[in-house]
Amino acid sequence: MTATADPTTLEFGKARTRKEDARLITGRTKFTDAINLPGMLYLHVVRSPLAHATITGIDAEAARSAPGVIGVYTAADLGVEAVGLPCAWPITPDMKAPQRPLLATGTVHFAGEGVAVVLARSAAEARDAADLVEVDYEPLEPVLDMEDAIKEGATLVHPDLGTNENATWVFDSGAAGTGNSVDEAIAAAEADPDSIVLRRRFIQQRLIPAFMEPRACVVDPTGEQITVWAATQVPHILRTMTTVTLGVPESKLRVIAPDVGGGFGGKIGVLPEEMLCVALAQKTGKPIKWNETRSESLLAAHHGRDQIQDLTMTAKKDGTITGFDVHLLADMGAYLGLVGPGVPILGAFMFNAIYKIPALKFTCTNVFTTKTLTDAYRGAGRPEATFGIERMMDELAVELGIEPMELRKKNWISHEEFPFTTVVGLTYDSGNYEQATAQAMEAFDYAGLRREQEERRASGDPVQLGIGISTFTEMCGLAPSRVLGSLSYGAGGWEAASIRMLATGKVEVITGASAHGQGHETAFSQIVADQLGVPFEDVEILHGDTQISPKGLDTYGSRSLVVGGIAIVKAAEKVVAKAKKIAAHLLEASEDDIEFSGGTFSVKGTDKGKAIQEIAFAAFMAHDYPEDMEPNLDADAVYDPENFSFPHGTHLAAVEIDTDTGRVNLRKYVCVDDIGTVVNPLIVEGQVHGGLAQGIAQALFEEANYDEQGTLVNGTFVDYTLPSASDLPSFDTSTVSTPATSNPLGVKGVGEAGTIASTPAIVNAVIDAVRHLGVTNVEMPCTSQRVWRAIQDAKGNTTQETPIDTHSPGAGLGSIDPNNPQGEVQ
């Protein structure tokens, strides 16, 4: 770091309580829905109840005459029939990209798509009037199954495209020159009696980013600029994309993301509703507010995951992996999200994980269906990849009769081999998988739990114990710009920061990263306090407003600290360098003789010195100032990293399964994560806990279910099952540190780690508990019904009625059908 202070005063590593929490917890803040402006009108969207249909008529007369209604508008009424929302990631030159309209015209393509909007003087009046809009539909056949969708003769979601395939993206290490040929590895393994070819299919179910605050937007057109408040992760991108979509000059747009109640990738998009608010604000000259209901959020906000993974792994019978072939089908839904097409291909770079796999081929076909579109969800492609490789490692261990942790150790990159260039061409700069694993196994009592497992199996205990492993890595900090450019990503990966030393010695820091619950204001204050040697309390972090922070690429992909934080460091270095010149002038010394430590500039070998706050005041007054310098101690910086960062860790789960009911009880969870240098361990622990809850939720609880007409059947929190605190154990979390060499702080990122690692750990544990009974797979979520059914199928019992255990994850949902082997909601 630039500043070197007494180690007892350094902020790095301090478990500071979050600055933001006081206002958030006590309600002394404003979320978007709390913003009220004089004369404001309220927008509500009339949504299609059908997944695929032709609109044959819209009768809005009753709605227009309802109390408080200002107007009812279709796309034609607003003149936006030809306006489409942008997709910023064309993954191939021939990618099929249907126009995503602001409101459907002619045909609706998913249940929940908007067909009209109502403006009224209150939100309640707008909702009531929307119920009076009569829309006539001619139903069309829904397209719901990805494999059926790409068969010849399938119903087309967008007939003008001539196909339901969005794009096929391929990486082949043999062709790329980064590794061997997978096709040759498979052929060699099939011909070699000392090798094995292992084939498995896994399903990544569709999930809904259930953020705490529903999406919302307020638009004020009454000033010199159009001001937009939005519950968004991407205020800067929203401003640019509003210009691209509606033609409003970017200089005339101000976008503010006030305190935002969570995102998890679910607020990374540019929304039809946001554009409609802007269009209607321009049309009426009045402020417009839109705030979705929870049911609307689950129905129409973008979903995540939804993949079919067909995986083929080749290995020697001693456990050495020789090749990995990955085939994915990824459901885009009806339209393309802002970065939706690229989300699955991010996994291409992580399917090799921490292992020295010499040959890898990745083929992903994106498919259109008549479902809600998919886009980034916490981890974005990397949880899917980690699940695939970690499930395959357990499957390979069973096939070869090798203890699953020993198989991993045999194939992983040892700490002496860093930096290591992987089969996909990424260079992992640092890591120590041995250290993290040893610490995790000790805390978990791995050997003791394995002994208990054997005892339970030998005794025929109806409650069996399963142990799940996930040794993972991920690429954090969505950047660098050159790499993103090579993948045709529609933006850079840099981040911007500014630091202003005020006359009073206080510090204002402006960052382009936009917080939605991560603790930016606290962590960034700690960084600046150490860099400049000023008190933590004297640092103010400003963000989320394009007027205050005009440059930025916002928050997603675990990039806040490893990109945005380093931009702040670079700006601080410039402040110190400038202050050093002024200090030399004031202390009548050579700049080479000036030292900076703990916020004080001093002359070497003397007791002469000045605090940085004194320098700031002198720069403000400019009474005695170097002639070749401008007054003030402000500095700007933009940071574009040369590489991703690569946190890693070992996650271990122990589950107990009641084989009579299928009930899954998560008994113990231990994780040791290497996230490089830790700025604030309290924030890290919170991020890991939240990530674990979401990853475990995918494994045991969550799934967006559609019926055969394409209707979302669990679109409320009554039936879309989220875990509560009582469903989860006390997590045993800790960290080790091999600092990143790719940035000056040595940080790696932590926001998505828990989600990425935990899902395969849990599912591996579930399968491990009942594998000796003949169970080889349970599709997620591993509810009591699905686990019980898998056990019965393995025993050949296909007619028994599933018992209901109301204390088990997902128990009691839907009716019981012996012909429904996975126990899906009916």
Side-chain angles (χ1 to χ4, degrees):
M1 294 183 294
T2 304
T4 55
D6 182 336
T8 61
T9 66
L10 286 175
E11 288 292 334
F12 256 54
K14 278 189 179 180
R16 283 272 192 184
T17 55
R18 303 195 325 170
K19 283 185 173 183
E20 18 316 57
D21 283 352
R23 70 173 188 272
L24 293 172
I25 293 171
T26 60
R28 292 185 291 106
T29 188
K30 280 197 173 182
F31 295 99
T32 301
D33 191 42
I35 294 167
N36 295 297
L37 303 173
M40 188 164 64
L41 303 176
Y42 295 80
L43 180 150
H44 190 77
V45 180
V46 179
R47 300 187 184 275
S48 169
L50 302 180
H52 199 196
T54 301
I55 302 171
T56 59
I58 299 177
D59 184 353
E61 288 308 310
R64 289 192 177 100
S65 60
V69 171
I70 301 300
V72 181
Y73 305 93
T74 64
D77 296 329
L78 293 174
V80 295
E81 305 102 310
V83 175
L85 289 170
C87 172
W89 202 339
I91 60 173
T92 65
D94 61 348
M95 184 182 86
K96 302 294 192 297
Q99 177 171 289
R100 183 187 176 193
L102 305 189
L103 292 169
T105 57
T107 305
V108 293
H109 295 96
F110 69 97
E113 184 170 9
V115 298
V117 294
V118 176
L119 272 189
R121 299 191 185 280
S122 73
E125 288 170 327
R127 287 195 297 270
D128 289 345
D131 291 338
L132 301 176
V133 178
E134 295 184 4
V135 185
D136 294 327
Y137 299 98
E138 184 67 36
L140 300 171
E141 184 179 358
V143 180
L144 304 173
D145 183 276
M146 284 188 279
E147 291 182 297
D148 289 343
I150 58 177
K151 290 178 180 176
E152 187 174 351
T155 298
L156 298 180
V157 180
H158 302 284
D160 56 310
L161 300 181
T163 179
N164 286 325
E165 290 189 23
N166 159 247
T168 296
W169 191 91
V170 179
F171 173 84
D172 186 338
S173 61
T178 57
N180 300 331
S181 164
V182 164
D183 294 336
E184 292 176 1
I186 293 173
E190 289 175 334
D192 181 6
D194 291 324
S195 294
I196 185 174
V197 180
L198 181 71
R199 292 182 172 89
R200 293 289 186 270
R201 167 173 281 204
F202 302 127
I203 305 297
Q204 283 279 322
Q205 80 270 38
R206 177 176 282 247
L207 303 176
I208 302 176
F211 30 71
M212 184 177 294
E213 175 202 19
R215 300 173 303 166
C217 181
V218 174
V219 177
D220 183 3
T222 60
E224 291 297 316
Q225 293 178 305
I226 296 175
T227 302
V228 179
W229 291 265
T232 181
Q233 298 175 219
V234 289
H236 297 89
I237 292 172
L238 176 56
R239 180 179 62 171
T240 300
M241 291 302 179
T242 302
T243 293
V244 170
T245 303
L246 296 178
V248 181
E250 195 169 1
S251 61
K252 293 297 183 181
L253 277 170
R254 178 184 184 184
V255 177
I256 302 169
D259 282 322
V260 176
F264 313 126
K267 292 176 181 172
I268 200 175
V270 176
L271 310 180
E273 294 86 353
E274 291 166 340
M275 298 302 103
L276 289 166
C277 284
V278 173
L280 281 162
Q282 290 180 297
K283 182 179 180 68
T284 63
K286 299 282 189 179
I288 305 293
K289 176 188 280 190
W290 166 72
N291 193 65
E292 69 183 354
T293 65
R294 178 62 66 187
S295 293
E296 283 184 290
S297 178
L298 296 175
L299 177 68
H302 79 244
H303 295 173
R305 312 288 193 255
D306 207 347
Q307 290 183 4
I308 298 172
Q309 302 179 332
D310 287 306
L311 310 178
T312 301
M313 181 173 281
T314 60
K316 297 290 186 181
K317 288 188 176 178
D318 68 357
T320 304
I321 300 171
T322 57
F324 196 17
D325 192 17
V326 176
H327 281 261
L328 302 184
L329 287 181
D331 192 340
M332 296 291 98
Y335 298 107
L336 299 178
L338 187 64
V339 296
V343 168
I345 71 171
L346 286 173
F349 304 98
M350 287 287 103
F351 265 97
N352 54 286
I354 67 172
Y355 307 114
K356 293 181 286 189
I357 299 175
L360 187 142
K361 186 175 182 180
F362 174 95
T363 305
C364 177
T365 298
N366 292 340
V367 182
F368 291 116
T369 63
T370 53
K371 297 179 183 178
T372 303
L373 64 89
T374 60
D375 210 317
Y377 176 55
R378 196 172 189 171
R382 291 151 298 158
E384 298 92 313
T386 300
F387 182 87
I389 180 63
E390 287 303 291
R391 285 287 292 114
M392 288 297 281
M393 294 303 288
D394 262 30
E395 293 296 303
L396 183 61
V398 170
E399 290 292 325
L400 297 177
I402 300 175
E403 203 281 330
M405 187 64 84
E406 292 306 311
L407 178 69
R408 288 167 167 83
K409 292 178 179 179
K410 183 175 182 64
N411 287 281
W412 71 29
I413 304 158
S414 65
H415 69 276
E416 298 93 347
E417 295 176 281
F418 288 96
F420 184 91
T421 300
T422 71
V423 68
V424 296
L426 292 180
T427 299
Y428 296 174
D429 62 315
S430 68
N432 191 327
Y433 309 141
E434 300 96 315
Q435 182 186 11
T437 300
Q439 186 169 316
M441 290 178 72
E442 181 179 359
F444 190 69
D445 187 19
Y446 187 88
L449 286 171
R450 284 293 186 199
R451 287 192 298 270
E452 181 184 342
Q453 180 184 57
E454 290 302 316
E455 291 167 1
R456 290 197 185 196
R457 289 183 178 179
S459 68
D461 193 325
V463 178
Q464 288 291 305
L465 178 66
I467 296 169
I469 302 169
S470 178
T471 51
F472 86 105
T473 189
E474 60 157 322
M475 54 183 191
C476 274
L478 194 58
S481 297
R482 296 174 188 84
V483 174
L484 295 177
S486 71
L487 295 173
S488 302
Y489 185 74
W494 51 266
E495 194 49 81
S498 300
I499 293 180
R500 298 195 289 249
M501 286 289 299
L502 305 180
T504 56
K506 311 298 184 183
V507 185
E508 288 182 340
V509 180
I510 300 93
T511 173
S514 182
H516 46 279
Q518 299 91 334
H520 289 182
E521 293 175 33
T522 303
F524 288 168
S525 292
Q526 290 179 272
I527 290 171
V528 172
D530 280 357
Q531 294 291 310
L532 300 182
V534 298
F536 168 81
E537 295 78 11
D538 287 353
V539 182
E540 186 78 16
I541 307 297
L542 306 176
H543 60 89
D545 183 340
T546 61
Q547 193 93 318
I548 293 170
S549 171
K551 293 183 293 186
L553 285 171
D554 306 317
T555 298
Y556 40 86
S558 295
R559 67 190 306 274
S560 297
L561 180 60
V562 297
V563 186
I566 305 306
I568 290 172
V569 170
K570 297 296 184 182
E573 290 173 348
K574 291 182 179 181
V575 168
V576 171
K578 189 173 184 179
K580 188 176 183 180
K581 293 180 182 293
I582 300 171
H585 174 81
L586 294 175
L587 295 170
E588 299 179 332
S590 166
E591 188 178 338
D592 293 338
D593 290 332
I594 298 296
E595 297 177 319
F596 180 61
S597 178
T600 298
F601 294 91
S602 58
V603 180
K604 293 178 184 177
T606 74
D607 59 359
K608 294 174 59 179
K610 286 187 178 292
I612 193 169
Q613 292 90 339
E614 296 178 272
I615 304 299
F617 185 74
F620 168 75
M621 296 297 290
H623 292 168
D624 186 8
Y625 202 75
E627 292 184 2
D628 59 344
M629 294 184 67
E630 297 175 353
N632 76 59
L633 279 187
D634 300 347
D636 302 329
V638 174
Y639 177 67
D640 194 354
E642 295 184 359
N643 195 8
F644 300 97
S645 67
F646 299 97
H648 69 84
T650 297
H651 288 227
L652 301 173
V655 304
E656 293 175 323
I657 293 182
D658 186 332
T659 58
D660 291 333
T661 65
R663 178 182 180 183
V664 180
N665 175 55
L666 178 51
R667 170 173 153 181
K668 190 173 187 178
Y669 198 99
V670 171
C671 63
V672 178
D673 288 296
D674 183 345
I675 58 169
T677 306
V678 174
V679 176
N680 185 319
L682 189 63
I683 289 177
V684 167
E685 187 175 17
Q687 287 287 301
V688 172
H689 279 206
L692 293 178
Q694 283 186 283
I696 292 168
Q698 177 173 10
L700 297 178
F701 295 89
E702 292 187 45
E703 181 176 27
N705 289 300
Y706 285 83
D707 65 18
E708 60 186 16
Q709 285 78 42
T711 303
L712 182 69
V713 298
N714 55 341
T716 72
F717 279 169
V718 173
D719 40 25
Y720 185 79
T721 312
L722 296 172
S724 67
S726 63
D727 295 308
L728 301 171
S730 294
F731 302 125
D732 184 341
T733 67
S734 59
T735 60
V736 295
S737 178
T738 54
T741 62
S742 56
N743 64 73
L745 294 183
V747 294
K748 293 182 177 180
V750 71
E752 296 165 302
T755 303
I756 291 169
S758 57
T759 307
I762 297 296
V763 176
N764 278 339
V766 169
I767 304 301
D768 185 57
V770 292
R771 192 185 290 274
H772 67 293
L773 301 177
V775 176
T776 59
N777 191 41
V778 179
E779 286 189 9
M780 296 186 290
C782 300
T783 63
S784 58
Q785 289 183 13
R786 289 185 174 181
V787 173
W788 183 89
R789 178 59 64 191
I791 294 170
Q792 299 309 309
D793 287 349
K795 293 178 178 179
N797 299 330
T798 59
T799 60
Q800 293 196 32
E801 188 171 304
T802 310
I804 294 296
D805 177 358
T806 58
H807 297 289
S808 179
L813 293 180
S815 59
I816 306 306
D817 180 359
N819 295 315
N820 179 6
Q822 294 300 334
E824 280 93 344
V825 174
Q826 300 298 299

